[in-house]
C-alpha cells in the first residue's frame, strides 16, 4: 500500500479519538514484523496493531484480532515488561512525516510517573518500532548498526535520532498560494512531480487527485495563473476539511485483486480510482 504522511494524519486523529487514555493490558507479536497492543478503554477493550512489514507498513485498530504464537519472541517479552499496565497519554505525528509516537505513562518507584515512548516509523523498507525513555533507546524491532547507516544507529543504550525530516512545505499549514508557487518554480518533468517535491506528507496519489479536482491535466508542466488559483482553492478546502472538528471521510483506492493501493483524504477522481 502506498502510505503518505497525509494518510497518517488521518490515522493519528482516529487513534486519538479511539485510544487516548487507554491502559495497555497485554502485548503480543502475531508475527516477527508485527506488534499487537491490547488496551482497556473506559467501557470496553480495543487493540492497536503495528505491522512493520517493509512492503506495506501500517498502524491501525484491527477489526479481528490475529492469532498469536504460544512462545513470545524476546522483543515481545521486553515490551510486556515495559508497557503493560501503562496508560497511553499522547499520540502524535511528527509534522506530516510517516512517524507516529505513543507516549505511555507508567507508575514507577515512589509513585513517580515514568514516561516511555513507542515510536512507529512507517517508512517503507526502513520501517521500525522503537521503545525509548528519556530519548535513549531501550530496544527496537530492528537493530541498525553503524555499518548499515552512517546517519544514525538504532541499538539499545544509544540516543534516539529521528530520521532526516522532510524539507517541503506542510500541506495542511502552509499558505496554499505559497505551496503552488513553490511547486511551480521547481524544474520537473511535470507539475505533479514538482508538487510532491515541494511539499511534505504528499505522494503522487494525493497530488494527482488535487490536480484533477482543480481541472488540471496530469501532464501539465507549469501552471497558468488561473490554474494556480484553482489549485490553491482546492488545497485551502482540504486544509479546512481536515482541521475541523467533524471526522472527515476517508477514501481508499482498491485494486482488482481487492488490495488497498492507497488511502486518500479527498474524493478520488482520477482513472486510478476505477
Amino acid at each position: 500500500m502506498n502510505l503518505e504522511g497525509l494518510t497518517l494524519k488521518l490515522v493519528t486523529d482516529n487513534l486519538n479519538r479511539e485510544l487516548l487514555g487507554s491502559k495497555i493490558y497485554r502485548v503480543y507479536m502475531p508475527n516477527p514484523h508485527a506488534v499487537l497492543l491490547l488496551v482497556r478503554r473506559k467501557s470496553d477493550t480495543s487493540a492497536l496493531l503495528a505491522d512493520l512489514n517493509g512492503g506495506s507498513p501500517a498502524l491501525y485498530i484491527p477489526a479481528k484480532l490475529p492469532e498469536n504464537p504460544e512462545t513470545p519472541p524476546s522483543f515481545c517479552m521486553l515490551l510486556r515488561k515495559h508497557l503493560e499496565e501503562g496508560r497511553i497519554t499522547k499520540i502524535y505525528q511528527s509534522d506530516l512525516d510517516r512517524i507516529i509516537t505513543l507516549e505511555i505513562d507508567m507508575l514507577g518507584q515512589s509513585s513517580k510517573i515514568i514516561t516511555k515512548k513507542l515510536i512507529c516509523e512507517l517508512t517503507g523498507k526502513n520501517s521500525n518500532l522503537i521503545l525509548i525513555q528519556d530519548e535513549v533507546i531501550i530496544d527496537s524491532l530492528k537493530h541498525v548498526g553503524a555499518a548499515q547507516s552512517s546517519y544514525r544507529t538504532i541499538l539499545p543504550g544509544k540516543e534516539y535520532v529521528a530520521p532526516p525530516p522532510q524539507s517541503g512545505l506542510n500541506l495542511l499549514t502552509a499558505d496554499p498560494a505559497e505551496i503552488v508557487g513553490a511547486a511551480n518554480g521547481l524544474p520537473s518533468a511535470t507539475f505533479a512531480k514538482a508538487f510532491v517535491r515541494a511539499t511534505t506528507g504528499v505522494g503522487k496519489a494525493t497530488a494527482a487527485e488535487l490536480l484533477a479536482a482543480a481541472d488540471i491535466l496530469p501532464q501539465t508542466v507549469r501552471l497558468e495563473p488561473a490554474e494556480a488559483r484553482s489549485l490553491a482553492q482546492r488545497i485551502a478546502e482540504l486544509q479546512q476539511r481536515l482541521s475541523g472538528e467533524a471526522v472527515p471521510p476517508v477514501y481508499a483506492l482498491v485494486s482488482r485483486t481487492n488490495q488497498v493501493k492507497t488511502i486518500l483524504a479527498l474524493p478520488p477522481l482520477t482513472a486510478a480510482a476505477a
Side-chain angles (χ1 to χ4, degrees):
M1 181 176 68
N2 179 25
L3 190 63
E4 299 183 3
L6 189 62
T7 300
L8 287 182
K9 196 273 183 190
L10 304 177
V11 171
T12 305
D13 290 347
N14 184 58
L15 295 182
N16 271 291
R17 288 190 294 268
E18 297 292 334
L19 301 180
L20 194 64
S22 299
K23 179 175 283 190
I24 300 169
Y25 70 88
R26 200 59 170 162
V27 180
Y28 291 103
M29 284 187 66
N31 63 64
H33 307 288
V35 169
L36 177 69
L37 305 180
L38 301 184
V39 303
R40 291 191 183 94
R41 301 189 289 193
K42 288 184 178 180
S43 58
D44 61 3
T45 60
S46 187
L48 178 63
L49 182 62
D51 188 344
L52 283 301
N53 185 313
S56 185
L59 183 67
Y60 62 98
I61 298 172
K64 181 180 179 182
L65 295 182
E67 294 185 3
N68 296 291
E70 293 184 5
T71 304
S74 58
F75 185 60
C76 180
M77 294 299 293
L78 178 136
L79 291 179
R80 287 180 178 180
K81 173 185 175 182
H82 286 276
L83 299 182
E84 287 185 354
E85 298 306 313
R87 190 174 300 278
I88 302 172
T89 54
K90 287 184 181 180
I91 305 173
Y92 54 91
Q93 182 183 13
S94 301
D95 291 323
L96 282 181
D97 279 344
R98 293 174 294 171
I99 302 171
I100 295 179
T101 299
L102 279 69
E103 289 195 6
I104 300 159
D105 283 355
M106 314 285 297
L107 192 61
Q109 295 181 350
S110 303
S111 299
K112 181 181 179 181
I113 298 296
I114 298 172
T115 300
K116 298 173 184 178
K117 296 179 183 179
L118 189 62
I119 303 171
C120 306
E121 297 182 353
L122 305 169
T123 50
K125 66 179 182 179
N126 296 318
S127 294
N128 208 344
L129 192 67
I130 306 169
L131 179 66
I132 71 171
Q133 180 180 337
D134 299 326
E135 305 309 311
V136 175
I137 297 171
I138 298 174
D139 209 345
S140 60
L141 184 65
K142 304 174 187 176
H143 290 176
V144 179
Q148 297 165 277
S149 173
S150 59
Y151 179 77
R152 64 175 189 155
T153 56
I154 304 175
L155 296 170
K158 295 290 186 180
E159 181 182 1
Y160 174 73
V161 177
Q166 299 183 47
S167 58
L169 295 170
N170 188 312
L171 183 71
L172 298 183
T173 57
D175 179 79
E178 182 183 357
I179 294 172
V180 176
N184 224 16
L186 289 176
S188 186
T190 64
F191 177 83
K193 292 182 178 180
F195 187 82
V196 172
R197 288 172 52 202
T199 54
T200 62
V202 179
K204 61 181 181 180
T206 293
E209 296 302 336
L210 281 170
L211 293 184
D215 292 323
I216 298 170
L217 296 175
Q219 65 269 26
T220 300
V221 177
R222 291 288 179 274
L223 301 189
E224 298 296 331
E227 293 175 319
R229 289 192 295 271
S230 178
L231 180 58
Q233 179 61 33
R234 300 291 86 75
I235 295 171
E237 291 170 357
L238 180 62
Q239 290 178 339
Q240 183 176 12
R241 185 159 65 246
L242 296 187
S243 64
E245 294 184 2
V247 180
V250 178
Y251 307 88
L253 300 185
V254 181
S255 70
R256 291 173 180 161
T257 57
N258 206 32
Q259 298 293 316
V260 177
K261 296 165 62 179
T262 192
I263 298 174
L264 296 167
L266 65 169
L269 299 173
T270 67

